[in-house]
Amino acid sequence: DNWANAAQFVVFTVAVKRGTTINQAFQGITGTLMAVLNIHLMSYIFPFGARGHLCTRKSSDTDDKDYVVMSHRRWEGWRAHVATTLPQAIQYYNDLSDGGGITGRVIYDPSGNPMEQYEWYQVGWEEKFSKRFESISEEECEPGSTVYLDPNYAEYGEVICMFDVILVLLLFLIGNISKTTIMWGMSSHVYLMMNFMNPAKGIAADPNNARDEFQTDWWLTEYFVTQAMVLVGAVVSIISTMVPYARLGNVTKLFDDAMMLTQSITTIWQESVTYLSG
């Protein structure tokens, strides 16, 4: 997904003149770096971000009919779904086959036993699943609520994160900085903070650790990859202005893009007026 960020950076950075391209590339890198440094600071306050899982402890009135579907993917960590029926649990189980990096998946029946026809593990992961299921089954939590890996986030994480989001956006807006820096800084900041505050993502844990007790290395985090892709986009943008054919083609493409955008905006307004006027 982050490769698309590099391509997007090229689209917004390449200009007719090489100097303008270098200037816009530097501004885009600076804006993204500000957002990355902010999320790096937040990861020290909340090492896992909002990363967590749904409470799978059964309530007294559902002991005889709840199924738990557990899975683990590298770079994503543990996931647990509670299903009230076996068909629903099987649907969850089958959906987990999509994508890569999965180390195991299993359905636990209402008695807490793994169902043989619905369990698969990579070598060495079966015991990790058993320990993980035992630990989350004994958690003191409200069934269906989110259990955060960082207990501090549960207490005041959302307040601090929202304050951070608003503060950084205001600093971008009131700062005497270029429009390109603001554009890349604000978009990167919102994107990274949305993931940071998402219990399904947060800050990824060490993929080799079964209990999510440690963070992954910083150079494998999403915010580092985001900055790296911006650098890749900047290099491609600058190199493209050094190729004679590409430099000549830039003018034509810019003209075509401008015409297309103008036509699209005109069409949108025409359709809007037609719709509102009945």
Side-chain angles (χ1 to χ4, degrees):
D1 294 342
N2 285 286
W3 284 109
N5 194 35
Q8 184 183 34
F9 192 88
V10 173
V11 171
F12 284 96
T13 303
V14 175
V16 178
K17 296 181 179 180
R18 186 184 308 165
T20 304
T21 300
I22 294 175
N23 184 45
Q24 293 185 161
F26 177 77
Q27 292 171 352
I29 291 172
T30 303
T32 306
L33 180 61
M34 292 177 180
V36 169
L37 290 176
N38 174 74
I39 202 73
H40 193 58
L41 173 63
M42 292 296 293
S43 70
Y44 279 101
I45 301 175
F46 302 109
F48 297 103
R51 190 176 182 81
H53 59 269
L54 289 177
C55 176
T56 58
R57 186 177 67 84
K58 298 179 176 61
S59 58
S60 58
D61 58 342
T62 59
D63 284 346
D64 59 340
K65 58 183 180 181
D66 274 0
Y67 294 83
V68 177
V69 185
M70 281 193 61
S71 67
H72 183 276
R73 292 181 190 272
R74 300 184 186 278
W75 322 121
E76 183 184 42
W78 294 100
R79 290 289 171 266
H81 296 278
V82 178
T84 55
T85 63
L86 180 57
Q88 186 183 36
I90 295 174
Q91 181 64 49
Y92 282 139
Y93 181 86
N94 291 333
D95 289 344
L96 294 170
S97 61
D98 297 333
I102 190 166
T103 57
R105 52 178 178 158
V106 58
I107 297 179
Y108 289 93
D109 64 21
S111 300
N113 300 314
M115 303 180 67
E116 292 185 3
Q117 63 271 42
Y118 298 110
E119 62 174 335
W120 176 86
Y121 317 96
Q122 285 189 359
V123 177
W125 277 85
E126 183 174 359
E127 183 178 356
K128 295 179 182 179
F129 267 78
S130 298
K131 291 181 178 179
R132 182 66 175 179
F133 178 75
E134 181 180 352
S135 67
I136 66 174
S137 298
E138 297 174 353
E139 289 175 332
E140 293 297 328
C141 56
E142 186 68 23
S145 63
T146 301
V147 180
Y148 298 102
L149 294 182
D150 185 348
N152 291 327
Y153 190 91
E155 294 184 16
Y156 47 81
E158 290 189 0
V159 174
I160 291 181
C161 286
M162 286 304 302
F163 176 78
D164 177 81
V165 170
I166 296 172
L167 176 63
V168 174
L169 290 178
L170 286 175
L171 290 176
F172 273 118
L173 292 173
I174 66 177
N176 186 21
I177 52 181
S178 68
K179 183 169 63 176
T180 303
T181 302
I182 294 175
M183 178 181 71
W184 285 102
M186 292 181 67
S187 62
S188 299
H189 173 60
V190 172
Y191 167 74
L192 292 172
M193 285 302 296
M194 285 174 63
N195 288 342
F196 187 84
M197 299 174 67
N198 184 353
K201 293 186 177 182
I203 298 296
D206 184 346
N208 296 313
N209 190 300
R211 295 184 62 83
D212 282 344
E213 292 175 347
F214 303 100
Q215 285 180 274
T216 187
D217 294 324
W218 67 271
W219 59 83
L220 297 177
T221 56
E222 184 175 21
Y223 49 86
F224 174 80
V225 175
T226 299
Q227 184 67 54
M229 289 301 99
V230 166
L231 292 174
V232 170
V235 171
V236 173
S237 300
I238 296 171
I239 291 177
S240 68
T241 63
M242 300 178 182
V243 181
Y245 176 79
R247 292 185 65 186
L248 293 174
N250 285 342
V251 179
T252 303
K253 291 179 180 178
L254 286 172
F255 178 78
D256 291 341
D257 289 345
M259 291 296 294
M260 182 187 66
L261 289 172
T262 303
Q263 184 178 3
S264 298
I265 293 172
T266 302
T267 302
I268 291 172
W269 275 106
Q270 288 177 341
E271 292 179 353
S272 300
V273 172
T274 303
Y275 175 79
L276 292 174
S277 61

